Structure formats: structure tokens, C-alpha cells
Amino acid sequence: MSRTRFCLSLAFGLLGAQAIAEPAPPPRDAAPAEARRGEPAAENRNAPESVSPLFNALGNTSAWLAYKARFVTDQGRVVDTGNGQISHSEGQGYGMLLAVAAGDRDAFQRIWNWTRANLMVRDDSLLAWRWEPDKRPGVADINNATDGDILVAWALVEAADAWSDMGYRVAARRMAVDIGRRTILFRAPSQPLLPGMSGFSAEDRADGPVANLSYWIFPAFPRLATVAGEIDWAAVTRSGLELLAKAQFGPSKLPTEWISMRDPAPKPAAGFPAVFSYNSIRIPLYLAWAGITDHRIHAPFSQAWAARERTGLPVVDTADGQTVEWMQEPGYEALSALEACAVSGEALPANFTAPAKTENYYPATLHLLALVAVQTRFKTCLGR
């Protein structure tokens, strides 16, 4: 996990300090900031909405309670235990999604309160990507991470529908519009999704724009379209699938974490290890969760995970196809089980519905997300 966060730190340059501490969250019964700025008032917050497909989808109360106890503070900060106890927009978004999937509105509100108070420090509606507990200010780099923004906006859409809350919907729309306007290069031939507003464009890098396929959160895009229909989210999905078809490097045909899109044929981005690693293992999760199960799209992942001489998932050097490291915490293997279920209909192992209680934030989170994806898309693989 530290390796992928090192890559993120390398990618996101310091943009100046912000004096942000970890304050107590605002009162839970307070009106959302969006409403206080003149958006729809409290009397409209209970307007009926469509049913969230994510609401109560986890189906495992004990797993959520264990996760919440280990990784979510009383203030609503989601703690990355494998990465120096930091928090980031990705983790806050995952926590909010899982809270909706567990039907836990109190936890959702606490996580959202902390996110707004500590990461919403930019001039737009996007989030600063990283908060460090042992530093003041906790946010030193106000660059955003687009995957974290998408996750939080998606979670707000689901919460708005789950609990008929117009305040969540307004916040989701604000974020979704800024994601579309500020991080999607619709005028570029490949229409890439930039990982962050700073540091990845053609103006910022000689090999830019640079993309990361794990930032295409495919199940989120149709949901964001319900609050920001002026953004062509279908084109975002197409651009991700087109890049995935082209970014098949070396004998493994796997994508690298960071991809240069300067030329018509993508290639590994300069300055980053040319590996399929901790970020990229989420690509099959998002594909399956969105119902994209064509075996031709999944083939490189299925082949990489089908035959392994040891437990865990491999970090693959795309230049020669060799394994350079193993991701061994059990939550990672939930992704390969989901992959086999989605593509081939294989029954899930008995321990799939019983996440380990001793692993770090990232594999634990991936396991619960895989469980939600199965509950919403592939219940037949559960064998009941």
C-alpha cells in the first residue's frame, strides 16, 4: 500500500499550505452548507427520490460494524492504517459508499461532515486529496484526486435517494459538475479523465496527458448523470474502455498504473514504475460492478489471477510479465473471486462473505466493495 501512495505523492506536487485542523464536526441536525448558501431549503429535503440501488446492499451488518470500529473515527475520518494513519478523499468516498450500503445514515453523515470540514478547502467543489494527522496544517497539498471526488459525489447521489435528502443531491451536483468541467478533457481526441487538476495535463508534463485507469469508476457515471445530465458521462465510460483496449503492455497485456496519452498509442508514463499494481487491481472491480463482463475486456486480469503459485495478488512488471511483489492480505483475493464470478459465473469461496478482521484499510475496503458488487450484480455466485 505504501508503494501506491508513494506514487500518488510523486504525482501530486505541493501547491501550498492550508491552515486546516481536525475540528469537531458540525451539529448533525444543522442544515447542509449548500442549503445555507441559498440552495433548496430544508422544506424540500424530504422530496421523494428514486430508490438507491446501493442502499442496504452490503447484507453483512457485522462486517460493517467491524470495519467502522477499526477505520472510522468518532469524527468521521476514515483512517488508512497501511499508510501512516492518513486520510484521503478516496477513503472518505469509500466510507460514505459503504455507509449507504450498510444503511447507516449516522455514519454517512459523520464521514461527510469530516470531509466537508477538512478536505473541501479549494476554490471549487472538489476535494483536497490528502490529510495528515501529525501535521498542521493537515492539508499541505490542495490538488484534488479525481477518483476521490467521483466516489464522494457518487455516494452523495446514493444517499440522496436512500434518505430522500435534497441537501445531499445539491452537494452531489456541485461536485459532479466540477468533475466534468475541470478534470475531463472532452476536447482531446481520447477524452481522458485527468487524475488531478494539476500535474497531469499536456501543459504540465512532456508526456501528458497522463491517466490512471483505476480512476474510471464505471458504476458511478450513470448515477452522476442523474444529477449532472449536462456532462456526457457515457463518453467518459467509452473513453475508459477505449483506453483499456489500447493500454495492454508487454506479454501480460496489463495496463500500468500511470499511462501517457500524448501519442495515439498509449505507453507507460515516464517517472513511474511500469507495473500493474495496487491502483490497477480496482479496474476489474469497477468493470464488474458496472455490469461490464465481456471476457475479452477482462482477459488480461483473469489470466494474471487464474494461476498463482502463492496466495495474494501479483504486482506485475509489464515489461516482462514477471511478478515483482505480492499483495498478500486476504481482502485482495476478494477481487479475483469477484472477477471469476462476473466473467465465468464461478461460485464464490466460503470466506468471501466473512472479511478478515485483522487487515489494513485498503484490502479491507476492497473486500467490502467486492461484496457489495456481488450483492447488487451477481447473487447467483453466492450459491443461495
Side-chain angles (χ1 to χ4, degrees), residues 312-333:
L313 297 186
V315 173
V316 179
D317 185 333
T318 60
D320 58 14
Q322 297 299 305
T323 297
V324 296
E325 182 184 331
W326 288 91
M327 296 172 271
Q328 292 187 279
E329 292 187 79
Y332 294 124
E333 292 209 85

Side-chain angles (χ1 to χ4, degrees), residues 288 332-354 367 369-384:
Y332 294 124
E333 292 209 85
L335 299 183
S336 61
L338 169 63
E339 170 84 359
C341 159
V343 177
S344 304
E346 289 187 22
L348 293 160
N351 64 354
F352 185 85
T353 58
H367 196 152
L369 294 172
L371 184 54
V372 173
V374 165
Q375 293 282 16
T376 55
R377 290 278 184 184
F378 309 105
K379 282 189 174 181
T380 56
C381 293
L382 292 168
R384 61 176 188 265

Side-chain angles (χ1 to χ4, degrees), residues 188-248:
S190 54
Q191 296 183 337
L193 180 68
L194 290 179
M197 280 190 61
S198 178
F200 300 96
S201 70
E203 290 74 25
D204 294 324
R205 293 177 55 100
D207 61 348
V210 164
N212 186 317
L213 272 165
S214 72
Y215 284 42
W216 267 264
I217 305 173
F218 295 107
F221 301 141
R223 299 296 287 151
L224 296 182
T226 67
V227 295
E230 67 268 44
I231 306 299
D232 191 350
W233 299 104
V236 179
T237 293
R238 288 194 300 272
S239 71
L241 294 177
E242 290 169 1
L243 177 57
L244 186 58
K246 294 177 180 179
Q248 298 186 1

Side-chain angles (χ1 to χ4, degrees), residues 131-198:
W131 189 94
E132 299 179 74
D134 57 348
K135 295 183 180 179
R136 291 294 180 270
V139 172
D141 180 356
I142 64 169
N143 200 14
N144 72 303
T146 303
D147 63 334
D149 296 325
I150 292 170
L151 290 166
V152 171
W154 177 23
L156 286 164
V157 172
E158 302 298 349
D161 286 356
W163 295 301
S164 298
D165 192 311
M166 186 59 70
Y168 294 150
R169 181 167 295 276
V170 170
R173 172 169 170 74
R174 285 178 176 273
M175 292 192 70
V177 169
D178 272 353
I179 291 166
R181 290 176 177 172
R182 296 173 181 271
T183 69
I184 303 169
L185 300 182
F186 284 113
R187 294 182 181 179
S190 54
Q191 296 183 337
L193 180 68
L194 290 179
M197 280 190 61
S198 178

